[in-house]
Amino acid sequence: MDLVPALEEPLKKVLGPPTAKVMAEHLGLHTVGDLLHHYPRRYEERGQLTHLADLPMDEHVTVVAMVADARLHSFASAKSPRGKGQRLEVTITDGHGRLQLVFFGNGVHKPHKELLPGTRAMFAGKVSVFNRRLQLAHPAYELLRGDTEEAVETWAGALIPLYPATAKLESWKIGKAVQTVLPSAQEAVDPLPESLRAGRGLVSLPEALLKIHRPHTKADIDAARTRLKWDEAFVLQVALARRRHADAQLPAVPRRPAADGLLSAFDDRLPFTLTDGQRKVSAEIFDDLATDHPMHRLLQGEVGSGKTLVALRAMLTVVDAGGQAALLAPTEVLAQQHHRSVVEMMGELAEGGMLGGADRATKVVLLTGSMGAAARRQALLDLVTGEAGIVIGTHALIEDKVRFHDLGLVVVDEQHRFGVEQRDALRGKGTQPPHLLVMTATPIPRTVAMTVFGDLETSVLDQLPAGRSPIASHVVPAADKPHFLARAWERVREEVANGHQAYVVCPRIGDEEDDPKKAGRKKSPEDEAEKRPPLAVLDVADHLAEGPLHGLTVEVLHGRMHPDDKDAVMRRFAAGDTDVLVATTVIEVGVNVPNATAMVIMDADRFGVSQLHQLRGRVGRGSAPGLCLLVTEMPEASPARQRLGAVAATLDGFELSRIDLEQRREGDVLGQAQSGARSSLRVLAVIEDEEVIEQAREEAVAVVEADPDLTAHPGLRTALDALVDEEREQYLEKG
């Protein structure tokens, strides 16, 4: 948040071009403000030294330790055949462990004079192993002297900040640069309104910056972090609140359901009653569609909670009101699957203009990149004339030549797979902004939804439809207990014998060409076990058909097959002609075969928690109970096994998404959602700081409602401009 001219000063002017260049290239820091917001990762306490025993291999580390011993050796080498080569070996200790430092050649003179036994210093370098001992070769170091005036000043604080650093720029050099610009912190304009700051007991921004970079006590660090978390949460929530406020001012065509239109005809033909959750969420959506500004709603729900049905009812409402609806799916398999299930659910209501179609019917068309030219031309014609009320497609919907008669609603399935530009391109096809419904099948914890999709109203479907069966999940430790894997294939045979079907999921297809560079290398047996390639669909399918599942019909499905072949395989499986489908994650979302009751996931440790939950949702979709077996060769104590244990232990997708997020950190989530714009979160952790985010949202809404243009809050405006730079401003506008 580069707040004022003093903080906008380029680092080149303040620190000199060489340092500024490294900071820009390796840390993305360009101005004084950027550097002040580059916070320490952790703090070393004077007298409490880093444990040398815990150093990670091959990583750049900074340690504080004391020199125990220093010896200069001479040796013969190619350059100095007469034994004049020099090597300085310094042993440092922290009272718990020891570490060897080595310096060679001309580099020995300075450390030989300075690193005397008893000297304390900070050392930085890459940890390597030599003769089975950890060492740092040619580390950079900074002596911790307490005698000179400058050193006393620099190290006066009892806490030494350690910064996220790079090989080119050690932590203390960053620290020194920060000390140089720290006086500018006094000029930082505070983005938080005075009343908010006083009400929440937060320190001012200049004070927070001072305390985070030069703390005297741990309480200083806590006060600074709390304040800086508020900055991040509040400014982000103000950006989202302004966006919601601006959207509410846009015009849109209200779309109200007709009394006896398509929707009521569709509801009459449903063979089941809607769940309370589906009714409640539908009512929220219908209320939004009836307003004269665009709906922006996120529909999230458990795997199999009936989101597609809710979305279809919204689409039918818009068709009833004279508009068209588009459903954007991330893959061709999913687009075809949606098209097939929508046409099946609607029956003759989807046969508008055809013989046998109902009076109030409409046309449901599919548009994908691999369609034949004639079918594509017809689909485009149906859209521009308004003949087709509903279109389901992939990115092909976004192309320039696609024109709509009157686009009233855009439904985006699996939001996280689409860039903002793609959604925007589709929304731009309406004469007025269409309503937008975003669906995600990966349940998102509330705080993430508030941080990432804070501009969307959220509806949650957390109730499974009646008739859905529970899914039993078990971990199969193939390496520890091979007989468990044999039993897994027996269970698949038993399910098939009972008239059901099964999926086997693998991480890889298997027709990839091996890298010739890698092929030549010799590997140790341990390497082979640890780094063997993930199991592949084509290999596993052959092995099963010839071995454990001999006699059953086994087919394969993966993303590189021709779309017609994929569709044919899915149709045969849906019809019950195939017993076992061996597939990649193309079946992850939306594939609906109620008769499939078992799933075996090979190398399950290679998938993320949410992905496993998604995959598992493909079974247990009918009245028979589902079974999901997670096969892994990972040892029992490994984090991967604990992750699989968590998936097996609960069917609650929201709980699993929290576990997933805690393990992956939110950078991934925010990165996906923020269209590649750098994540603005430096101290705010989405899961841990739930309370701060909720409170910040309330405060932000109040501020924006009272003063949408933030005229009374110049500091907040400046912070917002810095957070929402041009790229992100466009991103937020596109939504």
Side-chain angles (χ1 to χ4, degrees):
M1 295 172 218
D2 316 338
L3 303 176
V4 290
L7 300 196
E8 284 168 19
E9 189 84 41
L11 289 173
K12 201 158 49 179
K13 275 190 175 174
V14 188
L15 304 174
T19 308
K21 186 169 185 253
V22 176
M23 286 198 169
E25 285 175 6
H26 294 273
L27 297 168
L29 308 176
H30 303 277
T31 64
V32 168
D34 289 344
L35 181 54
L36 286 174
H37 288 286
H38 185 71
Y39 308 131
R41 179 181 291 159
R42 58 192 176 88
Y43 300 84
E44 279 294 354
E45 291 185 51
R46 302 290 299 274
Q48 181 206 327
L49 303 178
T50 322
H51 286 293
L52 294 179
D54 302 335
L55 291 179
M57 276 296 298
D58 285 336
E59 282 195 26
H60 281 277
V61 297
T62 303
V63 296
V64 178
M66 184 180 285
V67 177
D69 182 38
R71 293 169 190 223
L72 192 60
H73 302 274
S74 296
F75 61 93
S77 71
K79 283 186 179 172
S80 315
R82 295 188 183 169
K84 292 207 175 151
Q86 290 193 308
R87 182 175 78 245
L88 175 66
E89 290 180 1
V90 179
T91 307
I92 58 171
T93 176
D94 62 359
H96 301 277
R98 289 176 161 244
L99 180 65
Q100 182 113 12
L101 315 177
V102 287
F103 301 88
F104 294 100
N106 294 333
V108 304
H109 304 307
K110 187 166 177 272
H112 188 218
K113 277 198 300 228
E114 293 183 335
L115 297 179
L116 305 172
T119 308
R120 287 187 66 234
M122 295 171 84
F123 301 93
K126 193 172 182 179
V127 183
S128 56
V129 171
F130 182 70
N131 279 345
R132 297 195 167 182
R133 289 166 66 191
L134 290 183
Q135 71 167 26
L136 296 182
H138 280 283
Y141 62 88
E142 176 81 1
L143 301 180
L144 298 182
R145 297 194 192 94
D147 46 4
T148 71
E149 196 52 46
E150 183 196 3
V152 171
E153 174 59 28
T154 308
W155 307 106
L159 295 155
I160 302 168
L162 294 185
Y163 289 87
T166 74
K168 302 264 187 219
L169 205 61
E170 295 85 7
S171 168
W172 61 79
K173 286 189 182 159
I174 297 172
K176 280 188 165 174
V178 169
Q179 296 300 333
T180 307
V181 301
L182 206 49
S184 306
Q186 294 305 331
E187 299 188 39
V189 177
D190 207 315
L192 295 191
E194 178 57 48
S195 56
L196 188 160
R197 224 169 56 225
R200 302 270 174 194
L202 300 169
V203 299
S204 71
L205 180 57
E207 192 181 338
L209 291 171
L210 211 60
K211 284 183 167 170
I212 201 143
H213 290 297
R214 200 187 278 178
H216 291 284
T217 62
K218 286 187 174 169
D220 282 355
I221 300 169
D222 290 344
R225 287 181 71 83
T226 302
R227 162 59 217 243
L228 295 167
K229 280 179 181 184
W230 258 94
D231 276 18
E232 289 179 7
F234 181 70
V235 175
L236 187 60
Q237 291 301 338
V238 167
L240 293 166
R242 289 185 76 201
R243 171 90 195 281
R244 284 195 302 277
H245 185 271
D247 283 340
Q249 317 304 313
L250 285 175
V253 179
R255 312 279 179 173
R256 295 184 179 85
D260 54 352
L262 261 176
L263 179 64
S264 51
F266 174 74
D267 284 350
D268 290 344
R269 54 169 288 130
L270 279 178
F272 50 80
T273 53
L274 298 174
T275 65
D276 293 344
Q278 286 172 327
R279 285 179 197 284
K280 178 176 148 289
V281 169
S282 288
E284 290 170 352
I285 292 171
F286 293 159
D287 287 349
D288 281 1
L289 290 173
T291 60
D292 52 12
H293 57 83
M295 164 172 84
H296 285 95
R297 190 166 280 280
L298 172 70
L299 171 58
Q300 58 164 335
E302 270 302 354
V303 177
S305 55
K307 289 182 296 295
T308 312
L309 177 63
V310 169
L312 177 56
R313 295 184 76 234
M315 297 196 314
L316 293 174
T317 300
V318 170
V319 176
D320 271 349
Q324 290 168 295
L327 171 58
L328 186 60
T331 64
E332 293 211 348
V333 166
L334 191 50
Q336 288 163 341
Q337 172 83 28
H338 274 317
H339 182 252
R340 200 160 44 239
S341 60
V342 163
V343 168
E344 277 167 18
M345 281 197 274
M346 287 177 65
E348 73 272 13
L349 299 175
E351 294 170 359
M354 292 184 248
L355 280 173
D359 299 341
R360 288 169 298 194
T362 187
K363 214 171 185 182
V364 179
V365 300
L366 176 68
L367 190 63
T368 64
S370 62
M371 282 169 75
R376 189 181 174 78
R377 255 199 315 275
Q378 185 57 52
L380 292 172
L381 189 65
D382 289 342
L383 286 181
V384 77
T385 58
E387 188 82 9
I390 293 176
V391 59
I392 296 166
T394 54
H395 297 89
L397 281 177
I398 295 166
E399 289 168 12
D400 287 346
K401 45 180 166 306
V402 180
R403 295 271 178 275
F404 288 86
H405 177 63
D406 177 15
L407 180 61
L409 170 67
V410 173
V411 180
V412 180
D413 192 15
E414 280 309 289
Q415 141 66 25
H416 64 274
R417 300 197 185 188
F418 286 102
V420 173
E421 291 74 17
Q422 294 158 325
R423 288 210 318 255
D424 182 52
L426 189 51
R427 278 171 61 187
K429 291 184 180 292
T431 40
Q432 279 197 313
H435 298 282
L436 175 71
L437 181 65
V438 169
M439 296 199 293
T440 172
T442 308
I444 307 168
R446 255 188 88 246
T447 42
V448 179
M450 277 165 37
T451 309
V452 176
F453 301 111
D455 56 309
L456 302 175
E457 298 299 329
T458 305
S459 295
V460 177
L461 276 175
D462 47 11
Q463 191 184 6
L464 291 186
R468 268 313 181 84
S469 303
I471 305 168
S473 304
H474 303 283
V475 178
V476 178
D480 311 350
K481 299 176 178 166
H483 59 287
F484 275 37
L485 184 57
R487 175 73 189 114
W489 302 127
E490 280 173 29
R491 282 293 288 114
V492 169
R493 294 193 83 98
E494 286 164 16
E495 290 298 314
V496 173
N498 289 332
H500 298 301
Q501 294 158 279
Y503 296 101
V504 177
V505 182
C506 305
R508 207 164 60 102
I509 297 173
D511 58 359
E512 302 88 345
E513 284 185 25
D514 285 330
D515 184 341
K517 284 184 200 155
K518 291 179 185 168
R521 287 188 209 143
K522 280 269 188 240
K523 288 187 184 144
S524 69
E526 292 84 1
D527 258 4
E528 288 293 349
E530 178 67 22
K531 296 187 179 161
R532 69 162 174 74
L535 290 170
V537 166
L538 302 178
D539 306 338
V540 169
D542 290 346
H543 164 71
L544 293 177
E546 291 162 16
L549 303 184
H550 183 64
L552 304 185
T553 52
V554 177
E555 287 212 65
V556 301
L557 179 70
H558 58 75
R560 280 216 286 275
M561 289 164 62
H562 188 277
D564 293 348
D565 297 340
K566 281 193 275 200
D567 205 36
V569 168
M570 272 318 299
R571 280 180 190 281
R572 286 195 293 275
F573 189 64
D577 301 339
T578 307
D579 298 324
V580 178
L581 186 62
V582 182
T584 55
T585 53
V586 290
I587 60 149
E588 176 187 349
V589 181
V591 173
N592 185 21
V593 180
N595 192 45
T597 53
M599 176 178 284
V600 181
I601 303 180
M602 308 303 290
D603 281 342
D605 48 88
R606 312 258 182 157
F607 299 98
V609 169
S610 296
Q611 200 174 25
L612 290 169
H613 184 58
Q614 277 297 316
L615 286 165
R616 169 171 66 183
R618 301 304 108 215
V619 296
R621 298 178 80 85
S623 51
L627 171 70
C628 178
L629 302 174
L630 306 167
V631 179
T632 178
E633 292 187 0
M634 284 293 163
E636 197 164 355
S638 63
R641 273 285 283 280
Q642 289 164 2
R643 231 180 30 238
L644 296 180
V647 175
T650 176
L651 287 172
D652 181 342
F654 286 92
E655 176 56 31
L656 286 173
S657 67
R658 281 186 81 96
I659 294 170
D660 198 15
L661 193 61
E662 278 160 6
Q663 288 176 341
R664 292 188 304 141
R665 299 292 298 163
E666 51 275 346
D668 305 3
V669 182
L670 295 173
Q672 283 172 337
Q674 294 190 329
S675 173
R678 62 191 166 80
S679 163
S680 54
L681 304 191
R682 294 186 177 95
V683 283
L684 191 72
V686 172
I687 287 285
E688 291 161 32
D689 298 319
E690 204 157 349
E691 271 182 45
V692 176
I693 291 167
E694 287 193 29
Q695 293 167 0
R697 183 175 172 130
E698 285 167 23
E699 297 273 11
V701 169
V703 166
V704 171
E705 276 178 6
D707 179 8
D709 295 330
L710 306 179
T711 350
H713 304 285
L716 178 54
R717 271 213 76 104
T718 315
L720 206 56
D721 294 343
L723 169 79
V724 187
D725 49 28
E726 260 177 61
E727 173 192 4
R728 191 175 286 166
E729 183 71 68
Q730 289 167 359
Y731 163 79
L732 283 171
E733 275 171 12
K734 288 174 180 178

